[in-house]
Amino acid sequence: MIIDIETAGFDAKKNPLLEIAAVIVEYDDNQQLVVTEDHAAHIIPFDNSILDPSALKFTGIDPYHPFRMAVTEKEALHKLFLPIKHAVKRNLCTRAILVGHNPTFDITFLNAAIGRTKIKRSPFHPFSTFDTATLGGLMYQQTVLAKIGKKAGLEWDAKQAHSALYDAQQTADIFCKIVNRWKHLESLDVADNNTFNETEALISTDK
């Protein structure tokens, strides 16, 4: 499950979540990883939270804009966790693994919000993650999300960047590309090994 979070600072205990997005990826009939759903919510800052002006300037989010249609942390997490739990169940899994770009940040804020809202049944593993920055470095020799996307042949809209949903969608597309490309490389290795074994067999027969 790809998660992206926008916040009003870097302290998970003091600074609030402002946006959260989840993109669900699953294997299709051809065993290709694809996006199947996306969900997002704007969030009302929790009581007595601290809003860092520099963080708000960076994201461009006005936490109290009347048209954000923001909900409480608890409502937002329930909204996203329900479809994630359904996806976990239909794929015969026990927990979702958070996939993110530098996901330590996202899972730290997510776990803090889960603690504040006293949600007892999170669908996520509490600490295991996949990092697209690391995977991007391995596959495309880039670690910046926009640069990985461009190397992967994806378009990047700088105006939409730092929206939780847009960043989660881009991260999901990159993750699917990397996983599917890796599976393709594995199939080539299998084909090469089969060819090598067949050649060795022929040589042995000739002898």
Side-chain angles (χ1 to χ4, degrees):
M1 307 298 169
I2 290 77
I3 295 290
D4 191 80
I5 289 171
E6 299 297 332
T7 72
F10 297 101
D11 189 324
K13 294 182 179 179
K14 297 179 181 179
N15 304 132
L17 301 182
L18 298 179
E19 294 181 8
I20 185 170
V23 178
I24 296 172
V25 294
E26 301 173 81
Y27 285 105
D28 64 12
D29 293 339
N30 297 316
Q31 290 303 298
Q32 292 291 292
L33 195 65
V34 297
V35 171
T36 56
E37 301 176 44
D38 59 51
H39 305 273
H42 297 276
I43 303 172
I44 300 167
F46 65 87
D47 291 343
N48 301 316
S49 59
I50 298 172
L51 305 176
D52 184 337
S54 61
L56 298 180
K57 183 178 180 180
F58 179 74
T59 62
I61 297 172
D62 178 356
Y64 300 107
H65 194 287
F67 300 125
R68 287 185 75 225
M69 306 302 178
V71 297
T72 65
E73 276 187 330
K74 192 166 189 175
E75 290 172 315
L77 295 183
H78 276 305
K79 177 184 177 181
L80 270 65
F81 283 3
L82 184 60
I84 291 172
K85 288 178 179 179
H86 289 163
V88 167
K89 185 176 181 179
R90 67 175 172 261
N91 285 281
L92 306 179
C93 298
T94 55
R95 289 289 185 95
I97 300 296
L98 187 152
V99 180
H101 200 71
N102 300 312
T104 301
F105 177 88
D106 299 290
I107 201 166
T108 299
F109 269 86
L110 181 63
N111 286 338
I114 290 169
R116 279 192 297 269
T117 55
K118 295 180 170 56
I119 292 177
K120 294 182 180 179
R121 294 185 180 179
S122 167
F124 286 97
H125 192 283
F127 55 82
S128 294
T129 61
F130 290 156
D131 183 5
T132 51
T134 301
L135 294 173
L138 172 66
M139 190 65 75
Y140 297 111
Q141 295 76 56
Q142 297 289 343
T143 57
V144 176
L145 188 63
K147 292 182 179 180
I148 297 170
K150 289 177 181 177
K151 288 277 288 203
L154 302 174
E155 294 184 0
W156 180 266
D157 185 350
K159 293 181 180 179
Q160 294 190 66
H162 307 305
S163 153
L165 181 57
Y166 182 77
D167 285 0
Q169 289 170 333
Q170 292 295 108
T171 303
D173 287 342
I174 287 168
F175 184 66
C176 288
K177 280 253 186 185
I178 291 172
V179 171
N180 293 332
R181 186 179 179 191
W182 196 269
K183 285 173 67 69
H184 176 65
L185 293 174
E186 284 184 332
S187 69
L188 293 178
D189 285 342
V190 170
D192 287 344
N193 286 335
N194 289 340
T195 300
F196 176 79
N197 291 334
E198 289 172 2
T199 303
E200 286 290 295
L202 287 172
I203 293 171
S204 296
T205 302
D206 290 341
K207 291 179 180 178

